[in-house]
Amino acid sequence: KVKYRLVYCRNGVFRGDGRAQVTVEAAQRGRRKYFGSNVYVLKEQWDRKKEQIVRHPNGDALNAYLLEMVINLERVELNLWKKGITPTLNLIKEGYGSENLPQESFESFGMQNVAMSSRREGTKKNLISTLKCLSMYRGGALWADINYTFVLQFEAWLNGQGYARNTVIKHLRNLRTL
């Protein structure tokens, strides 16, 4: 079994503004691997005993993000067990990056998400309309394909199709929602 905990400023390096990174430590049989969180806080904003951020304006959101990181690492470990593979720290580190992005297409995820949503019918129709436009633009786009450049190109494609500015904005907003 791998044990996870949050560690503040593990290497003693502080940024120029006095903040240091919170990392996730995975320990197994005396060995350790660290996963950077890109969460930086001041020393007085870290509670060592509780292993969480305190007295920070976004403390709740940052703590939720850190907890989600630990849950994702545990998910990778569980998936290795399900496959009959004894998890090691190296296997978890390798699988962590690839496990974060679902392998299904963005469109199929969006359709499932809209179908299970408790949103109003009009909102669902708008989201489905955006998914159809996305399918016409680039059908079968994977999660890994969705990045800033993709969104800029999608916006340019929508403009090229003759959509009005408000419609383009609506589709971009719906894409963000999905």
Side-chain angles (χ1 to χ4, degrees):
K1 172 73 178 133
V2 179
K3 294 184 180 183
Y4 302 96
R5 71 183 191 112
L6 297 173
V7 179
Y8 176 74
C9 191
R10 77 172 182 92
N11 54 6
V13 176
F14 289 87
R15 291 176 136 188
D17 58 0
R19 297 182 304 157
Q21 183 172 208
V22 178
T23 57
V24 178
E25 177 187 84
Q28 182 184 42
R29 292 188 218 112
R31 294 192 171 179
R32 290 171 171 65
K33 288 275 184 190
Y34 295 92
F35 299 85
S37 67
N38 291 325
V39 173
Y40 292 85
V41 294
L42 297 169
K43 187 174 184 175
E44 58 269 9
Q45 294 173 331
W46 180 252
D47 187 330
R48 197 168 157 197
K49 289 182 181 179
K50 293 181 183 177
E51 292 183 2
Q52 65 181 9
I53 297 169
V54 294
R55 295 182 300 278
H56 188 281
N58 298 322
D60 291 338
L62 293 173
N63 284 323
Y65 172 76
L66 293 169
L67 180 61
E68 188 176 334
M69 271 189 74
V70 172
I71 289 170
N72 285 336
L73 287 165
E74 289 174 338
R75 184 177 299 128
V76 171
E77 180 184 0
L78 181 62
N79 286 339
L80 289 169
W81 281 115
K82 284 180 182 178
K83 293 175 185 175
I85 302 170
T86 303
T88 64
L89 295 177
N90 287 334
L91 289 174
I92 291 171
K93 187 138 186 148
E94 288 173 15
Y96 178 65
S98 62
E99 287 281 330
N100 286 338
L101 298 175
Q103 294 303 313
E104 66 182 326
S105 73
F106 184 79
E107 183 183 353
S108 66
F109 165 80
M111 287 297 193
Q112 290 172 0
N113 191 10
V114 170
M116 295 185 308
S117 174
S118 61
R119 296 177 187 268
R120 294 181 182 169
E121 288 304 313
T123 304
K124 287 182 179 183
K125 286 181 183 177
N126 283 337
L127 292 170
I128 289 172
S129 171
T130 298
L131 287 169
K132 287 180 182 176
C133 283
L134 195 61
S135 176
M136 288 188 298
Y137 167 64
R138 190 181 304 167
L142 297 176
W143 277 90
D145 299 335
I146 310 295
N147 57 26
Y148 182 69
T149 305
F150 179 91
V151 173
L152 288 178
Q153 292 171 349
F154 180 55
E155 179 183 13
W157 180 83
L158 288 169
N159 287 324
Q161 295 296 310
Y163 288 107
R165 186 70 192 147
N166 285 346
T167 306
V168 171
I169 297 300
K170 176 193 78 164
H171 286 305
L172 293 176
R173 187 187 71 232
N174 289 341
L175 179 61
R176 183 184 67 207
T177 299
L178 291 166

Coordinates of all heavy atoms in Angstrom, one line a residue, residues 26-103:
A26 N 4.2 10.5 -2.0 CA 3.7 9.1 -2.0 C 4.9 8.3 -1.4 O 6.0 8.3 -1.9 CB 3.4 8.7 -3.4
A27 N 4.6 7.5 -0.4 CA 5.6 6.7 0.3 C 5.2 5.2 0.2 O 4.1 4.8 0.5 CB 5.8 7.2 1.7
Q28 N 6.2 4.4 0.0 CA 6.0 2.9 -0.1 C 7.4 2.3 0.3 O 8.4 2.5 -0.4 CB 5.6 2.5 -1.5 CG 5.3 1.0 -1.6 CD 5.0 0.7 -3.1 OE1 5.6 1.1 -4.0 NE2 4.0 -0.2 -3.2
R29 N 7.3 1.5 1.4 CA 8.5 0.7 1.8 C 9.7 1.6 1.9 O 10.8 1.3 1.5 CB 8.8 -0.4 0.9 CG 7.7 -1.5 1.0 CD 8.2 -2.7 0.2 NE 7.0 -3.3 -0.5 CZ 6.8 -3.3 -1.8 NH1 7.7 -2.8 -2.6 NH2 5.7 -3.8 -2.3
G30 N 9.6 2.8 2.6 CA 10.8 3.6 2.8 C 11.2 4.5 1.6 O 12.1 5.3 1.8
R31 N 10.5 4.3 0.5 CA 10.9 5.2 -0.7 C 9.8 6.2 -0.8 O 8.6 6.0 -0.5 CB 11.0 4.3 -1.9 CG 12.1 3.4 -1.8 CD 12.4 2.7 -3.2 NE 13.7 2.0 -3.1 CZ 14.2 1.4 -4.1 NH1 13.5 1.3 -5.2 NH2 15.3 0.7 -3.9
R32 N 10.1 7.3 -1.5 CA 9.2 8.4 -1.7 C 9.3 9.0 -3.1 O 10.4 9.0 -3.7 CB 9.5 9.5 -0.7 CG 9.2 9.1 0.7 CD 9.7 10.2 1.7 NE 9.2 10.0 3.0 CZ 9.5 9.0 3.8 NH1 10.3 8.0 3.4 NH2 9.0 8.9 5.1
K33 N 8.1 9.4 -3.6 CA 8.0 10.1 -4.9 C 7.2 11.4 -4.6 O 6.3 11.3 -3.7 CB 7.4 9.3 -6.0 CG 8.2 8.2 -6.5 CD 9.1 8.7 -7.6 CE 9.8 7.5 -8.2 NZ 10.9 7.9 -9.1
Y34 N 7.5 12.5 -5.2 CA 6.8 13.7 -5.0 C 6.1 14.2 -6.3 O 6.7 14.0 -7.4 CB 7.8 14.8 -4.5 CG 8.4 14.4 -3.1 CD1 9.6 13.7 -3.0 CD2 7.7 14.8 -2.0 CE1 10.1 13.4 -1.8 CE2 8.2 14.4 -0.7 CZ 9.4 13.7 -0.6 OH 9.9 13.4 0.6
F35 N 4.9 14.7 -6.1 CA 4.1 15.2 -7.2 C 3.8 16.7 -6.9 O 3.2 17.0 -6.0 CB 2.8 14.4 -7.3 CG 3.0 13.0 -7.6 CD1 3.2 12.1 -6.5 CD2 3.0 12.5 -8.9 CE1 3.4 10.7 -6.8 CE2 3.2 11.1 -9.1 CZ 3.4 10.3 -8.1
G36 N 4.4 17.5 -7.8 CA 4.2 19.0 -7.6 C 2.8 19.4 -7.9 O 2.1 18.9 -8.8
S37 N 2.3 20.3 -7.1 CA 0.9 20.7 -7.2 C 0.7 22.1 -7.9 O -0.4 22.5 -8.2 CB 0.2 20.8 -5.8 OG 0.8 21.8 -5.1
N38 N 1.8 22.8 -8.0 CA 1.8 24.2 -8.5 C 0.9 25.1 -7.6 O 0.4 26.1 -8.0 CB 1.3 24.3 -9.9 CG 2.3 23.7 -10.9 OD1 3.5 23.9 -10.6 ND2 1.8 23.1 -11.9
V39 N 0.8 24.7 -6.3 CA 0.1 25.5 -5.3 C 1.2 26.1 -4.4 O 1.9 25.3 -3.8 CB -0.9 24.7 -4.5 CG1 -1.5 25.5 -3.3 CG2 -2.0 24.2 -5.4
Y40 N 1.3 27.4 -4.3 CA 2.3 28.1 -3.5 C 1.6 29.0 -2.5 O 0.7 29.7 -2.8 CB 3.2 29.0 -4.4 CG 4.0 28.2 -5.4 CD1 3.5 27.8 -6.6 CD2 5.3 27.8 -5.0 CE1 4.3 27.0 -7.5 CE2 6.1 27.1 -5.9 CZ 5.6 26.7 -7.1 OH 6.4 26.0 -7.9
V41 N 2.0 28.8 -1.2 CA 1.4 29.6 -0.1 C 2.5 30.0 0.8 O 3.6 29.5 0.8 CB 0.3 28.8 0.7 CG1 -0.9 28.5 -0.2 CG2 0.9 27.5 1.2
L42 N 2.2 31.0 1.6 CA 3.1 31.5 2.6 C 3.2 30.5 3.8 O 2.3 29.7 4.0 CB 2.7 32.9 3.2 CG 2.6 34.0 2.1 CD1 1.9 35.2 2.7 CD2 4.0 34.3 1.7
K43 N 4.3 30.6 4.6 CA 4.5 29.6 5.7 C 3.3 29.7 6.7 O 2.9 28.7 7.2 CB 5.8 29.9 6.3 CG 6.2 28.9 7.4 CD 7.6 29.2 7.9 CE 8.0 28.0 8.9 NZ 9.3 28.2 9.3
E44 N 2.9 30.9 7.0 CA 1.8 31.1 8.0 C 0.4 30.6 7.4 O -0.5 30.6 8.2 CB 1.7 32.5 8.5 CG 1.5 33.6 7.4 CD 2.8 34.1 6.8 OE1 3.9 33.6 7.1 OE2 2.7 35.1 6.1
Q45 N 0.3 30.3 6.1 CA -0.9 29.9 5.5 C -1.0 28.3 5.5 O -1.9 27.8 4.9 CB -1.1 30.4 4.1 CG -1.3 31.9 4.2 CD -1.3 32.5 2.8 OE1 -0.7 32.0 1.8 NE2 -2.0 33.6 2.6
W46 N 0.0 27.7 6.0 CA 0.1 26.2 6.0 C 0.0 25.6 7.4 O 0.7 26.0 8.3 CB 1.3 25.7 5.4 CG 1.4 24.2 5.3 CD1 2.3 23.4 6.1 CD2 0.7 23.3 4.5 NE1 2.1 22.1 5.8 CE2 1.1 22.0 4.8 CE3 -0.3 23.5 3.6 CZ2 0.5 20.9 4.2 CZ3 -0.9 22.4 3.0 CH2 -0.5 21.1 3.3
D47 N -1.0 24.7 7.7 CA -1.1 24.1 9.0 C -0.5 22.7 8.8 O -1.0 21.8 8.1 CB -2.6 23.9 9.3 CG -2.8 23.4 10.8 OD1 -1.9 22.6 11.2 OD2 -3.8 23.7 11.4
R48 N 0.6 22.5 9.5 CA 1.4 21.3 9.3 C 0.7 20.1 9.9 O 0.8 19.0 9.3 CB 2.8 21.5 10.0 CG 3.8 20.5 9.6 CD 5.2 20.9 10.1 NE 6.0 19.7 10.1 CZ 7.1 19.6 10.8 NH1 7.5 20.7 11.5 NH2 7.8 18.5 10.8
K49 N 0.0 20.2 11.0 CA -0.6 19.1 11.7 C -1.8 18.6 10.8 O -2.0 17.4 10.7 CB -1.1 19.5 13.1 CG 0.0 19.6 14.1 CD -0.5 19.9 15.4 CE 0.7 20.1 16.4 NZ 0.2 20.5 17.8
K50 N -2.6 19.6 10.4 CA -3.8 19.2 9.6 C -3.5 18.9 8.1 O -4.3 18.4 7.4 CB -4.8 20.3 9.6 CG -5.4 20.5 11.0 CD -6.5 21.7 10.9 CE -7.1 21.9 12.3 NZ -8.0 23.1 12.3
E51 N -2.3 19.3 7.7 CA -1.8 19.2 6.3 C -2.8 19.8 5.4 O -3.3 19.2 4.4 CB -1.6 17.7 5.9 CG -0.5 17.0 6.6 CD -0.3 15.6 6.1 OE1 -1.0 15.1 5.2 OE2 0.6 15.0 6.7
Q52 N -3.1 21.1 5.6 CA -4.0 21.9 4.8 C -3.7 23.4 4.8 O -3.0 23.8 5.8 CB -5.4 21.6 5.1 CG -5.9 22.1 6.4 CD -7.4 21.7 6.7 OE1 -8.0 21.0 5.9 NE2 -7.9 22.2 7.7
I53 N -4.2 24.1 3.9 CA -4.0 25.5 3.8 C -5.0 26.2 4.7 O -6.2 25.8 4.7 CB -4.2 26.0 2.3 CG1 -3.1 25.3 1.5 CG2 -4.1 27.5 2.2 CD1 -3.3 25.5 0.0
V54 N -4.6 27.2 5.5 CA -5.5 27.9 6.4 C -5.2 29.4 6.2 O -4.2 29.8 5.7 CB -5.2 27.6 7.9 CG1 -5.6 26.1 8.1 CG2 -3.8 27.8 8.3
R55 N -6.1 30.2 6.6 CA -6.0 31.7 6.5 C -5.5 32.2 5.1 O -4.7 33.0 4.9 CB -5.0 32.2 7.6 CG -5.5 32.0 9.0 CD -4.6 32.6 10.0 NE -3.3 32.0 10.0 CZ -2.9 30.8 10.6 NH1 -3.8 30.1 11.3 NH2 -1.7 30.4 10.6
H56 N -6.1 31.6 4.1 CA -5.9 32.0 2.7 C -7.2 32.3 2.0 O -8.2 31.6 2.3 CB -5.2 30.8 1.9 CG -4.7 31.2 0.6 ND1 -5.5 31.3 -0.5 CD2 -3.4 31.5 0.1 CE1 -4.8 31.6 -1.6 NE2 -3.5 31.8 -1.2
P57 N -7.3 33.4 1.2 CA -8.6 33.7 0.6 C -9.2 32.6 -0.2 O -10.4 32.5 -0.3 CB -8.3 34.9 -0.2 CG -6.9 35.3 0.0 CD -6.2 34.3 0.9
N58 N -8.4 31.8 -0.8 CA -8.9 30.7 -1.6 C -8.6 29.4 -1.0 O -8.4 28.4 -1.7 CB -8.3 30.8 -3.0 CG -8.7 32.0 -3.8 OD1 -9.8 32.5 -3.7 ND2 -7.7 32.6 -4.5
G59 N -8.4 29.3 0.3 CA -8.0 28.1 1.0 C -8.9 26.9 0.7 O -8.4 25.8 0.5
D60 N -10.2 27.1 0.7 CA -11.1 26.0 0.5 C -10.9 25.4 -0.9 O -10.8 24.1 -1.0 CB -12.6 26.4 0.7 CG -12.9 26.7 2.2 OD1 -12.2 26.2 3.1 OD2 -13.9 27.4 2.4
A61 N -10.8 26.2 -1.9 CA -10.6 25.7 -3.2 C -9.3 25.1 -3.4 O -9.2 24.0 -4.0 CB -10.8 26.9 -4.2
L62 N -8.2 25.6 -2.8 CA -6.9 25.0 -2.9 C -6.8 23.7 -2.2 O -6.2 22.7 -2.7 CB -5.9 26.0 -2.4 CG -5.6 27.3 -3.2 CD1 -4.7 28.2 -2.5 CD2 -5.1 27.0 -4.6
N63 N -7.5 23.6 -1.0 CA -7.5 22.3 -0.3 C -8.3 21.3 -1.1 O -7.9 20.1 -1.1 CB -8.1 22.5 1.1 CG -7.1 23.2 2.0 OD1 -5.9 22.9 2.0 ND2 -7.7 24.0 2.9
A64 N -9.4 21.7 -1.7 CA -10.1 20.8 -2.6 C -9.3 20.3 -3.7 O -9.3 19.1 -4.1 CB -11.4 21.4 -3.1
Y65 N -8.5 21.2 -4.3 CA -7.6 20.8 -5.5 C -6.6 19.8 -5.0 O -6.3 18.8 -5.7 CB -7.0 22.1 -6.0 CG -5.9 21.8 -7.0 CD1 -6.2 21.4 -8.3 CD2 -4.6 21.9 -6.7 CE1 -5.3 21.1 -9.3 CE2 -3.6 21.7 -7.6 CZ -3.9 21.3 -8.9 OH -3.0 21.0 -9.8
L66 N -6.0 20.1 -3.9 CA -4.9 19.1 -3.3 C -5.5 17.8 -3.0 O -4.9 16.7 -3.3 CB -4.3 19.8 -2.1 CG -3.4 21.0 -2.4 CD1 -3.0 21.7 -1.1 CD2 -2.2 20.7 -3.2
L67 N -6.7 17.8 -2.4 CA -7.4 16.5 -2.1 C -7.7 15.7 -3.4 O -7.6 14.5 -3.5 CB -8.7 16.8 -1.3 CG -9.5 15.5 -0.9 CD1 -8.7 14.6 0.0 CD2 -10.8 16.0 -0.2
E68 N -8.1 16.5 -4.4 CA -8.4 15.8 -5.7 C -7.1 15.2 -6.3 O -7.2 14.1 -6.9 CB -9.0 16.9 -6.7 CG -9.5 16.3 -8.0 CD -10.1 17.3 -8.9 OE1 -10.7 18.3 -8.3 OE2 -10.1 17.1 -10.1
M69 N -6.0 15.9 -6.1 CA -4.7 15.3 -6.6 C -4.5 13.9 -5.9 O -4.1 13.0 -6.6 CB -3.6 16.2 -6.3 CG -3.3 17.2 -7.4 SD -1.7 18.1 -7.0 CE -0.5 16.8 -7.4
V70 N -4.7 13.9 -4.6 CA -4.4 12.7 -3.8 C -5.4 11.6 -4.3 O -5.0 10.4 -4.5 CB -4.6 12.9 -2.3 CG1 -4.5 11.6 -1.6 CG2 -3.5 13.9 -1.8
I71 N -6.7 12.0 -4.5 CA -7.7 11.0 -5.0 C -7.3 10.5 -6.4 O -7.4 9.3 -6.6 CB -9.1 11.7 -5.0 CG1 -9.5 11.9 -3.6 CG2 -10.1 10.8 -5.8 CD1 -10.8 12.7 -3.5
N72 N -6.8 11.3 -7.3 CA -6.4 10.8 -8.6 C -5.2 9.9 -8.5 O -5.1 8.9 -9.2 CB -6.0 12.0 -9.5 CG -7.2 12.8 -10.0 OD1 -8.3 12.2 -10.0 ND2 -7.1 14.0 -10.3
L73 N -4.3 10.1 -7.6 CA -3.1 9.2 -7.4 C -3.6 7.9 -6.8 O -3.2 6.8 -7.3 CB -2.1 9.8 -6.4 CG -1.3 11.0 -7.0 CD1 -0.6 11.7 -5.9 CD2 -0.3 10.4 -8.0
E74 N -4.6 7.9 -5.9 CA -5.2 6.7 -5.4 C -5.9 5.9 -6.5 O -5.9 4.7 -6.5 CB -6.1 7.0 -4.2 CG -5.3 7.4 -3.0 CD -6.2 7.9 -1.8 OE1 -7.4 8.3 -2.1 OE2 -5.7 7.8 -0.7
R75 N -6.5 6.7 -7.4 CA -7.3 6.0 -8.5 C -6.3 5.3 -9.4 O -6.6 4.2 -9.9 CB -8.0 7.1 -9.3 CG -8.9 6.5 -10.4 CD -9.7 7.5 -11.1 NE -10.6 8.2 -10.2 CZ -10.7 9.5 -10.0 NH1 -10.0 10.3 -10.7 NH2 -11.6 10.0 -9.2
V76 N -5.1 5.9 -9.7 CA -4.1 5.2 -10.5 C -3.7 4.0 -9.8 O -3.6 2.9 -10.4 CB -2.9 6.2 -10.7 CG1 -1.8 5.4 -11.4 CG2 -3.3 7.4 -11.6
E77 N -3.4 4.0 -8.5 CA -3.0 2.9 -7.7 C -4.1 1.8 -7.8 O -3.8 0.6 -8.0 CB -2.8 3.3 -6.3 CG -2.3 2.1 -5.4 CD -2.2 2.5 -3.9 OE1 -2.4 3.7 -3.6 OE2 -1.8 1.6 -3.1
L78 N -5.4 2.1 -7.6 CA -6.5 1.2 -7.7 C -6.6 0.5 -9.0 O -6.8 -0.7 -9.1 CB -7.8 1.9 -7.3 CG -9.0 1.0 -7.3 CD1 -8.9 -0.1 -6.2 CD2 -10.2 1.8 -7.0
N79 N -6.4 1.3 -10.1 CA -6.5 0.8 -11.4 C -5.4 -0.3 -11.7 O -5.6 -1.3 -12.4 CB -6.4 1.9 -12.5 CG -7.7 2.6 -12.6 OD1 -8.8 2.2 -12.2 ND2 -7.7 3.9 -13.1
L80 N -4.2 0.0 -11.1 CA -3.1 -1.0 -11.2 C -3.5 -2.3 -10.5 O -3.2 -3.4 -11.0 CB -1.8 -0.4 -10.7 CG -1.1 0.7 -11.5 CD1 0.0 1.4 -10.7 CD2 -0.6 0.1 -12.8
W81 N -4.1 -2.2 -9.3 CA -4.5 -3.4 -8.6 C -5.5 -4.1 -9.4 O -5.5 -5.4 -9.5 CB -5.1 -3.0 -7.2 CG -4.1 -2.7 -6.2 CD1 -3.8 -1.5 -5.6 CD2 -3.1 -3.6 -5.6 NE1 -2.8 -1.6 -4.6 CE2 -2.4 -2.9 -4.6 CE3 -2.8 -5.0 -5.8 CZ2 -1.4 -3.5 -3.9 CZ3 -1.8 -5.5 -5.0 CH2 -1.1 -4.8 -4.1
K82 N -6.5 -3.4 -10.0 CA -7.5 -4.1 -10.8 C -6.9 -4.8 -12.0 O -7.5 -5.8 -12.4 CB -8.5 -3.0 -11.3 CG -9.5 -2.5 -10.3 CD -10.4 -1.5 -10.9 CE -11.4 -0.9 -9.9 NZ -12.3 0.1 -10.5
K83 N -5.9 -4.3 -12.5 CA -5.2 -5.0 -13.7 C -4.3 -6.1 -13.2 O -3.7 -6.8 -14.0 CB -4.4 -4.0 -14.5 CG -5.2 -3.0 -15.2 CD -4.3 -1.9 -15.9 CE -5.2 -0.8 -16.5 NZ -4.3 0.2 -17.0
G84 N -4.2 -6.4 -11.9 CA -3.4 -7.4 -11.4 C -1.9 -7.1 -11.3 O -1.1 -7.9 -11.2
I85 N -1.6 -5.8 -11.3 CA -0.3 -5.3 -11.2 C 0.0 -4.7 -9.9 O -0.8 -3.9 -9.4 CB 0.0 -4.2 -12.3 CG1 -0.3 -4.8 -13.7 CG2 1.4 -3.6 -12.2 CD1 -0.3 -3.7 -14.8
T86 N 1.0 -5.1 -9.2 CA 1.3 -4.6 -7.9 C 1.9 -3.1 -8.1 O 2.9 -3.0 -8.8 CB 2.4 -5.4 -7.2 OG1 1.9 -6.7 -7.1 CG2 2.7 -4.9 -5.8
P87 N 1.2 -2.2 -7.5 CA 1.6 -0.8 -7.8 C 3.0 -0.5 -7.1 O 3.3 -0.9 -6.0 CB 0.5 0.1 -7.1 CG -0.5 -0.9 -6.7 CD 0.0 -2.2 -6.7
T88 N 3.8 0.2 -7.9 CA 5.1 0.8 -7.3 C 5.0 2.3 -7.5 O 4.2 2.8 -8.3 CB 6.3 0.2 -8.1 OG1 6.2 0.6 -9.5 CG2 6.3 -1.3 -8.0
L89 N 5.9 3.0 -6.9 CA 5.9 4.4 -7.0 C 6.2 4.9 -8.5 O 5.6 5.8 -9.0 CB 6.9 5.0 -6.1 CG 6.6 4.9 -4.6 CD1 7.7 5.4 -3.7 CD2 5.3 5.5 -4.2
N90 N 7.1 4.2 -9.1 CA 7.4 4.5 -10.5 C 6.2 4.3 -11.4 O 5.9 5.1 -12.3 CB 8.6 3.7 -11.0 CG 9.9 4.2 -10.5 OD1 10.0 5.3 -10.1 ND2 10.8 3.3 -10.4
L91 N 5.4 3.2 -11.2 CA 4.3 2.9 -12.0 C 3.2 4.0 -11.8 O 2.5 4.4 -12.7 CB 3.7 1.5 -11.8 CG 4.5 0.3 -12.3 CD1 3.9 -1.0 -11.8 CD2 4.6 0.4 -13.8
I92 N 3.0 4.4 -10.6 CA 2.1 5.4 -10.2 C 2.5 6.7 -10.9 O 1.6 7.4 -11.5 CB 1.9 5.5 -8.7 CG1 1.2 4.3 -8.1 CG2 1.1 6.8 -8.4 CD1 1.2 4.2 -6.6
K93 N 3.7 7.1 -10.8 CA 4.2 8.3 -11.4 C 4.0 8.3 -12.9 O 3.6 9.3 -13.5 CB 5.7 8.5 -11.1 CG 6.2 9.9 -11.6 CD 7.1 10.5 -10.5 CE 7.5 11.9 -10.9 NZ 7.6 12.8 -9.8
E94 N 4.2 7.1 -13.6 CA 4.0 7.0 -15.0 C 2.6 7.1 -15.4 O 2.2 7.8 -16.4 CB 4.6 5.7 -15.5 CG 6.1 5.6 -15.6 CD 6.5 4.2 -15.9 OE1 5.7 3.4 -16.4 OE2 7.7 3.9 -15.7
G95 N 1.7 6.5 -14.6 CA 0.3 6.5 -14.9 C -0.5 7.7 -14.5 O -1.5 8.0 -15.0
Y96 N 0.1 8.5 -13.6 CA -0.6 9.7 -13.1 C -0.9 10.7 -14.2 O -2.1 11.1 -14.3 CB 0.2 10.4 -12.0 CG -0.5 11.6 -11.5 CD1 -1.7 11.6 -10.8 CD2 0.1 12.9 -11.7 CE1 -2.3 12.7 -10.4 CE2 -0.5 14.0 -11.2 CZ -1.7 13.9 -10.6 OH -2.3 15.1 -10.1
G97 N 0.0 11.0 -15.1 CA -0.3 12.0 -16.1 C -1.3 11.5 -17.2 O -2.1 12.2 -17.6
S98 N -1.2 10.2 -17.5 CA -2.1 9.7 -18.5 C -3.5 9.4 -18.0 O -4.5 9.4 -18.7 CB -1.5 8.4 -19.1 OG -1.4 7.4 -18.2
E99 N -3.6 9.2 -16.7 CA -4.9 8.8 -16.1 C -5.8 10.1 -15.9 O -7.0 10.0 -15.7 CB -4.7 8.2 -14.7 CG -4.2 6.8 -14.7 CD -5.2 5.8 -15.1 OE1 -6.4 6.0 -14.7 OE2 -4.9 4.8 -15.7
N100 N -5.2 11.3 -15.9 CA -6.0 12.5 -15.6 C -6.9 12.8 -16.8 O -7.9 13.5 -16.6 CB -5.1 13.6 -15.4 CG -4.4 13.5 -14.0 OD1 -5.0 12.9 -13.1 ND2 -3.3 14.2 -13.8
L101 N -6.6 12.4 -18.0 CA -7.4 12.8 -19.1 C -8.1 11.5 -19.6 O -7.5 10.5 -19.9 CB -6.5 13.3 -20.3 CG -5.8 14.6 -20.0 CD1 -4.9 14.9 -21.2 CD2 -6.7 15.7 -19.8
P102 N -9.5 11.6 -19.7 CA -10.2 10.4 -20.2 C -9.9 10.2 -21.6 O -9.6 11.1 -22.4 CB -11.7 10.9 -20.0 CG -11.7 12.1 -19.1 CD -10.3 12.7 -19.2
Q103 N -9.9 8.9 -22.0 CA -9.6 8.5 -23.4 C -10.7 8.6 -24.3 O -10.6 8.4 -25.5 CB -9.0 7.1 -23.4 CG -7.7 7.0 -22.6 CD -6.6 7.9 -23.2 OE1 -6.4 8.0 -24.4 NE2 -6.0 8.7 -22.3

